[in-house]
Amino acid sequence: MSNLLTMTGKELRSHFVSPIAYAVMAFFLVLSGFFFATAVLFSQDSSLRYVFSDMSILLLLIVPLITMRLVAEEKKSGTIELLLTAPLRDGEVVLGKFLAALVFLGVMLAVTGYYALLIWIFGKPDWGAIISGYLGTMLLGAAYLSLGLFTSSLTQNQIIAGALGFALLMLFFLISWVADFTGPQFSGVVRYLGFTDHFDDFTKGVIDLKDAVFYISVVAVSLLLTVRVLESRRWK
Amino acid sequence: MIEVEKLTKYYGPKAALIDASFTVKKGEIVGLIGLNGAGKTTAMRILTGYMPPTSGKARVASYDVVEKSLEVRKRMGYMPESTPLYTDMSVRDYLTFMGRIKGIDRRSIRHRVDDVMKKTATTSYSNNLIGTLSKGYRQRVGLAQALIHDPDVLILDEPTVGLDPQQVHEVRKLIKDLAGKHTVILSSHILSEISMICSHVIIIHEGRIIAAGAPGSLSRGNTVRMVVRGPERDVRMKLGAVDKVVKVGCKSVESGLGTFDVDCAPGADVRERLAHAVASNGWGLLELSSGGISLEEEFLALVKKEVRI
Ligand SMILES: Nc1ncnc2c1ncn2[C@@H]1O[C@H](COP(=O)(O)OP(=O)(O)O)[C@@H](O)[C@H]1O
Ligand SMILES: [Mg+2]
């Protein structure tokens, strides 16, 4: 436990000293602020529903930028060898990196909380929908982050890691379109794997346990795969 | 402290380490020496539990490095090749992090960090970012990191590579001071360095251990080198007849000048008698030097011999 906290702390620190992280955060806040302004002006939306949908797409672009460096950089510089020969489990290294990225995402989303405050000052927010929207965004973001972390473990080149991560996220994002072309017996399965279908309910204020379980499963599988990749040096 | 038995490692079809066996006693400093690609890093990575061997066994402090990897890592400090460090951390933050993941508790960490910084003379840089330090100081921080949890065993992969002569000297001294308290394995491709620091040398060539022993036992202890103008056979015979001479070897003959290595009994100084033997036969003595053949030459000879086989 103490190992995990130490690892998470070190990773958090490296997020907050990285200029890329601040650029990413600024990019996210500026664009989502723009979406918020237009949504409020044109749709009189009090649930932030459209803002959450827009954020889910923004995160698609942003998460690979957050995660690409996580393992690839340590592989390149060789510091991974120090981590993996310290009395730490490979799982603690991976989980620590994931948790720190999740905290970073949480901080970024927390800053957008002022949208809700603005609605509260000038109108009547739909708190239920807003809270479930944030929950959904965190869950979706967690799934994205875990996939990005996985692709970062595959290579020591950050750019390749980022591109792979983006490609993988796009795949999950677009997969429900494929469902329209498969026969009816497959469309259910394919649709289930898509990221967006699970997300829509959250933005409408509906928290469905099945959707939460879906995202958490994606996280679990990605993190396990990442641990496997780190262990693969033991098979070669 | 360290027992290695028939360690073999294949990368795909390529063997990087073949049947390597050696033991290291507590408090010894052992040098692994070999050319680039000899298998030094591979051997060290197996000992640190970074990767398992294809076959064979290794034990550190009587724990198997594969089955009891975590136990081994708790007792081991490792400085990988080219000393990877987190360049965006300060020296103190970095050492604190490394100490914490090596199991030092929150209460004693500050004290331990101060302690290793003092030991490695990095205290005055404690708040500097590692990225801004010179190569020599980075090496010290790498060493401090390896020492932070006061491990029984230290594994240092090429600790002096890329340093300037002054830094090399300082880092060597640092390592030498660690002897006794820690058991150290270090690697190098410079033999003279190893013979300066280590109590024991292991020569690796193309994945095999081709020689091992104390540095003294590897060099041909008491040897006098002579360059003589005269008929090779006769010179060898006459020099061999001198009292206390064990063996005379002829290294080369070039335009009548023969280079001879005269092995003498330990402790005997026969230089004057050798010079007299040459002069009294009317040959020319152009050079006479004692001190033996350097380990470097011996190492190269061993490597060459191995290549021929
Ligand atoms: N990860 C790896 N994959 C494939 N071959 C490797 C790997 N690491 C080292 N080798 C090969 O194994 C041999 C021994 O390498 P190494 O142990 O690094 O030697 P040294 O440290 O003595 O220079 C070399 O021929 C090297 O090319
Ligand atoms: Mg090496």
Side-chain angles (χ1 to χ4, degrees):
Chain A
M1 193 61 198
S2 131
N3 278 344
L4 183 58
L5 286 181
T6 309
M7 192 61 216
T8 309
K10 172 242 162 198
E11 288 294 319
L12 254 184
R13 209 189 138 281
S14 82
H15 278 296
F16 285 101
V17 298
S18 150
I20 298 180
Y22 286 104
V24 162
M25 198 180 268
F27 178 75
F28 179 79
L29 292 176
V30 167
L31 281 184
S32 66
F34 171 75
F35 291 134
F36 168 68
T38 49
V40 170
L41 285 179
F42 297 115
S43 70
Q44 306 294 312
D45 177 19
S46 64
S47 67
L48 293 179
R49 190 175 153 187
Y50 299 106
V51 179
F52 286 125
S53 291
D54 293 331
M55 279 187 194
S56 75
I57 295 173
L58 269 181
L59 287 179
L60 211 56
L61 301 169
I62 275 174
V63 162
L65 293 174
I66 299 174
T67 55
M68 62 186 195
R69 151 187 92 67
L70 294 183
V71 184
E73 188 180 44
E74 297 220 34
K75 278 191 159 183
K76 178 118 192 156
S77 72
T79 48
I80 195 83
E81 200 166 334
L82 284 171
L83 289 183
L84 299 181
T85 55
L88 275 179
R89 284 166 215 285
D90 295 359
E92 289 170 330
V93 173
V94 170
L95 199 56
K97 284 180 179 284
F98 171 72
L99 289 179
L102 199 61
V103 171
F104 182 78
L105 177 70
V107 169
M108 200 160 78
L109 287 181
V111 178
T112 67
Y114 75 88
Y115 306 157
L117 287 181
L118 285 177
I119 296 180
W120 188 46
I121 291 167
F122 295 107
K124 198 171 164 305
D126 179 349
W127 286 115
I130 291 176
I131 289 168
S132 85
Y134 272 116
L135 181 67
T137 310
M138 272 310 276
L139 283 167
L140 178 79
Y144 285 179
L145 288 171
S146 65
L147 287 166
L149 179 59
F150 167 65
T151 58
S152 179
S153 72
L154 296 175
T155 164
Q156 46 172 273
N157 183 317
Q158 292 188 42
I159 306 296
I160 293 177
L164 275 178
F166 181 65
L168 197 59
L169 294 185
M170 279 310 266
L171 184 74
F172 275 103
F173 183 73
L174 297 176
I175 204 166
S176 49
W177 295 5
V178 177
D180 300 339
F181 305 107
T182 59
Q185 69 270 43
F186 293 119
S187 75
V189 178
V190 174
R191 215 175 275 284
Y192 179 77
L193 288 176
F195 274 9
T196 37
D197 285 16
H198 297 279
F199 187 65
D200 289 342
D201 278 349
F202 283 106
T203 65
K204 291 174 198 151
V206 181
I207 300 177
D208 188 335
L209 197 61
K210 270 187 299 195
D211 294 329
V213 166
F214 169 78
Y215 288 125
I216 293 169
S217 314
V218 171
V219 170
V221 170
S222 310
L223 295 186
L224 280 176
L225 285 177
T226 310
V227 173
R228 283 275 170 270
V229 172
L230 290 187
E231 278 173 357
S232 69
R233 72 186 187 278
R234 307 219 162 117
W235 315 332
K236 278 183 224 148
Chain B
M1 189 50 96
I2 299 170
E3 290 139 354
V4 173
E5 265 168 52
K6 298 207 164 225
L7 225 46
T8 300
K9 175 76 189 179
Y10 279 89
Y11 292 109
K14 190 178 173 309
L17 201 61
I18 305 154
D19 271 346
S21 304
F22 60 88
T23 56
V24 180
K25 290 198 213 70
K26 194 166 187 306
E28 273 187 335
I29 302 193
V30 168
L32 279 183
I33 172 135
L35 306 173
N36 284 329
K40 305 179 294 291
T41 300
T42 302
M44 293 183 145
R45 283 182 164 168
I46 294 171
L47 284 177
T48 55
Y50 181 70
M51 58 189 188
T54 309
S55 67
K57 283 221 166 298
R59 277 184 303 272
V60 173
S62 67
Y63 292 101
D64 187 282
V65 295
V66 179
E67 271 131 42
K68 293 271 182 263
S69 178
L70 279 178
E71 293 301 320
V72 170
R73 296 187 213 172
K74 279 181 201 159
R75 293 165 175 79
M76 166 118 58
Y78 178 36
M79 185 162 95
E81 200 164 8
S82 75
T83 326
L85 297 162
Y86 295 111
T87 47
D88 61 0
M89 280 181 149
S90 73
V91 172
R92 175 177 291 283
D93 286 349
Y94 174 67
L95 293 177
T96 304
F97 168 68
M98 290 308 292
R100 293 283 291 141
I101 63 172
K102 291 178 181 190
I104 298 173
D105 63 36
R106 203 179 289 280
R107 272 186 311 263
S108 24
I109 186 73
R110 208 188 152 79
H111 176 72
R112 276 303 303 160
V113 169
D114 286 340
D115 204 40
V116 291
M117 286 197 301
K118 203 187 292 165
K119 226 179 234 166
T120 54
T122 47
T123 311
S124 49
Y125 295 91
S126 62
N127 294 318
N128 292 46
L129 290 186
I130 292 173
T132 65
L133 298 182
S134 72
K135 185 90 176 59
Y137 272 92
R138 287 188 201 196
Q139 214 76 351
R140 285 159 183 263
V141 175
L143 215 55
Q145 161 279 126
L147 283 169
I148 187 93
H149 56 314
D150 201 16
D152 296 334
V153 175
L154 276 174
I155 299 207
L156 312 172
D157 199 351
E158 310 230 7
T160 61
V161 104
L163 301 182
D164 70 34
Q166 174 69 22
Q167 295 167 336
V168 167
H169 179 75
E170 287 165 5
V171 169
R172 278 180 192 162
K173 191 168 169 313
L174 246 168
I175 296 171
K176 217 167 164 172
D177 291 345
L178 298 172
K181 201 160 178 312
H182 307 268
T183 306
V184 184
I185 298 191
L186 62 90
S187 71
S188 174
H189 56 265
I190 308 163
L191 206 105
S192 57
E193 161 165 305
I194 295 244
S195 61
M196 255 178 260
I197 313 178
C198 300
S199 55
H200 213 78
V201 181
I202 296 169
I203 300 181
I204 304 194
H205 183 61
E206 293 180 347
R208 290 175 202 276
I209 294 182
I210 57 170
S217 74
L218 285 184
S219 76
R220 265 185 256 148
N222 192 6
T223 302
V224 177
R225 169 160 297 179
M226 303 175 74
V227 180
V228 177
R229 188 190 304 283
E232 185 204 332
R233 267 181 54 115
D234 294 352
V235 174
R236 281 175 64 162
M237 219 172 63
K238 291 282 182 217
L239 292 180
V242 172
D243 191 28
K244 295 261 165 64
V245 167
V246 178
K247 197 176 120 224
V248 180
C250 179
K251 223 170 158 350
S252 63
V253 182
E254 258 171 62
S255 54
L257 288 182
T259 305
F260 300 88
D261 286 332
V262 184
D263 291 352
C264 312
D269 186 355
V270 296
R271 283 174 296 178
E272 281 171 73
R273 267 176 281 156
L274 288 172
H276 183 252
V278 172
S280 63
N281 283 289
W283 302 319
L285 177 59
L286 289 98
E287 232 175 76
L288 186 150
S289 56
S290 70
I293 299 168
S294 76
L295 267 170
E296 203 90 35
E297 277 179 73
E298 189 74 9
F299 167 53
L300 288 173
L302 279 168
V303 169
K304 267 201 212 112
K305 200 163 66 194
E306 186 69 13
V307 171
R308 242 180 276 126
I309 300 164

